[in-house]
Amino acid sequence: MPLSLLESCKPPLRRLFALIQRNPGLVAIFGFASGLASFLLVERQAELAQVLATVMLVSWLWLILENILRAQIARWFGFELPPPLLRYATQLIHQESLFFVLPFFIITTTWNSGQALFTGVLAAAALVSITDPLYYKKLAPRRWLFLTYHSFTLFAVLLTALPIIFKLTTPQSYQLALATAALLSFPSLLGIITIRRWWRGVLLVGLILALGATGWLARVWVPPATLWLTEVAVTTEFDNRNRAPGATLKQLSAAQLRNQGLYAYTAINAPRGLNERIYHVWRHNGRAGEHIALDIQGGRKNGYRAWTHKQNFPADPLGNWQVQVMTEAGQMIGVLRFKVVE
């Protein structure tokens, strides 16, 4: 960086840092306001998610390279960043990240399933990030807990950002986000396991692998952050030319089912350019039946339209039916329900 430019930047930067030191709450207020703005913008214009997600990922470099950046700033500008400012910067990043991803998970969560637990924890983490007594007195002093909080936030950010920025599928994004979060859990585990034995390293590696395996098994409880249903229908009629379903049915007779079969119609919103394979899983009274694969592509504002037509039903089709819309990784996008009666 040219010396003259550095010299010209020093006075305004010093004034900014002095202002922040005198009014430390300004950073927290700015973080909350910008996080709320991210929430509202993403909810209304999903195309802005690509820009915002890129900003979120870049901001994480600050935490990773904090010591190097502090030394570099001291060398360039002739002063060290005060620790309180760094703490507020970290809080700001958590606020930005959590409030950015929250609308995606709120939209994609199937609320009458285990996914509600994950989204509830995410919302609680967002509230902690804007509640100073909890953030600074309960969370920050416990280093292992703070690093766990940090890894969980990064996991949620990657689940949202990877499909949008790199056009990865939902299974690929989940695997990469889980691997990253598991590796970043190493400092937390290191702080918990304080024994001084030769097998400490083996135990740490084993715990990281166990954490990754647990995260993979729990994927059914994690909403697919960038896939959600915009329109659904269970119907006996379908207009193939216009790709439009007939009247939605919540209940039908066994005779209707056998005579006409049944269409399960879903319109799935996905980021631009995303190619994804999903499944319609037909379930009868809790028992899984057919798994029908469908390929979807992102880009249509109202969601990519896909449907399955089931004609083969059991001899006794009475009871409660579900059509679960699943990703290849086993994450539920949504569910359609109907009942067959006499």
Side-chain angles (χ1 to χ4, degrees):
M1 183 178 292
L3 185 60
S4 59
L5 180 59
L6 287 174
E7 291 298 329
S8 63
C9 289
K10 283 183 180 181
L13 284 174
R14 285 200 177 102
R15 287 195 294 271
L16 175 62
F17 293 146
L19 176 65
I20 291 173
Q21 284 183 293
R22 289 195 304 270
N23 304 280
L26 289 177
V27 179
I29 293 172
F30 174 78
F32 176 72
S34 58
L36 185 60
S38 297
F39 185 104
L40 296 174
L41 288 172
V42 171
E43 189 179 45
R44 285 163 172 72
Q45 291 187 317
E47 60 268 19
L48 291 178
Q50 185 169 1
V51 176
L52 294 174
T54 303
V55 172
M56 293 302 104
L57 285 179
V58 171
S59 68
W60 284 98
L61 291 175
W62 172 259
L63 293 182
I64 298 171
L65 304 174
E66 178 181 323
N67 292 331
I68 297 174
L69 291 174
R70 284 185 65 192
Q72 198 70 18
I73 289 171
R75 185 168 66 85
W76 283 348
F77 299 104
F79 58 86
E80 290 191 4
L81 294 175
L85 175 62
L86 297 178
R87 288 197 297 268
Y88 281 119
T90 304
Q91 184 186 22
L92 173 63
I93 292 172
H94 284 145
Q95 289 173 352
E96 283 280 1
S97 302
L98 290 165
F99 275 97
F100 170 71
V101 301
L102 194 57
F104 286 93
F105 287 98
I106 288 175
I107 292 171
T108 59
T109 295
T110 303
W111 289 100
N112 56 352
S113 72
Q115 292 180 354
L117 176 63
F118 179 90
T119 305
V121 172
L122 191 67
L127 290 176
V128 168
S129 73
I130 61 172
T131 308
D132 286 356
L134 291 177
Y135 189 87
Y136 289 108
K137 294 182 180 180
K138 301 296 184 181
L139 181 65
R142 297 168 175 81
R143 186 65 178 172
W144 68 270
L145 183 61
F146 184 78
L147 292 173
T148 301
Y149 178 87
H150 177 78
S151 298
F152 176 73
T153 305
L154 179 59
F155 176 63
V157 170
L158 290 177
L159 286 178
T160 306
L162 290 173
I164 297 172
I165 298 175
F166 300 109
K167 305 299 188 290
L168 298 181
T169 64
T170 304
Q172 291 171 337
S173 300
Y174 191 89
Q175 292 166 4
L176 185 55
L178 180 61
T180 303
L183 290 174
L184 288 178
S185 69
F186 181 81
S188 299
L189 296 175
L190 195 64
I192 297 172
I193 304 173
T194 57
I195 55 174
R196 302 294 179 183
R197 299 284 185 173
W198 65 268
W199 41 266
R200 185 189 185 193
V202 177
L203 181 59
L204 285 170
V205 172
L207 287 175
I208 290 174
L209 293 175
L211 183 63
T214 302
W216 181 251
L217 293 175
R219 66 192 184 278
V220 294
W221 287 13
V222 180
T226 54
L227 297 176
W228 63 87
L229 298 176
T230 58
E231 186 182 0
V232 297
V234 174
T235 180
T236 55
E237 300 176 348
F238 192 83
D239 183 350
N240 280 287
R241 182 176 179 180
N242 296 313
R243 298 185 176 185
T248 299
L249 302 174
K250 294 293 184 182
Q251 182 174 297
L252 70 160
S253 68
Q256 284 179 288
L257 198 67
R258 294 192 184 95
N259 292 337
Q260 299 169 280
L262 204 62
Y263 290 91
Y265 169 86
T266 55
I268 302 173
N269 188 293
R272 289 174 296 172
L274 177 65
N275 294 316
E276 185 96 13
R277 170 161 287 191
I278 59 102
Y279 293 86
H280 281 184
V281 181
W282 292 73
R283 302 180 69 92
H284 179 216
N285 291 330
R287 296 188 299 272
E290 289 184 84
H291 289 60
I292 305 175
L294 296 164
D295 292 319
I296 64 170
Q297 296 176 340
R300 185 173 179 269
K301 183 178 179 180
N302 295 325
Y304 187 88
R305 293 168 291 186
W307 62 91
T308 53
H309 185 199
K310 183 173 172 62
Q311 294 176 296
N312 298 319
F313 290 90
D316 181 14
L318 303 182
N320 296 312
W321 284 81
Q322 292 183 356
V323 182
Q324 294 179 341
V325 188
M326 312 284 287
T327 69
E328 278 194 301
Q331 294 172 269
M332 186 187 299
I333 304 172
V335 59
L336 293 73
R337 292 180 173 86
F338 63 96
K339 188 173 184 179
V340 178
V341 297
E342 288 287 358

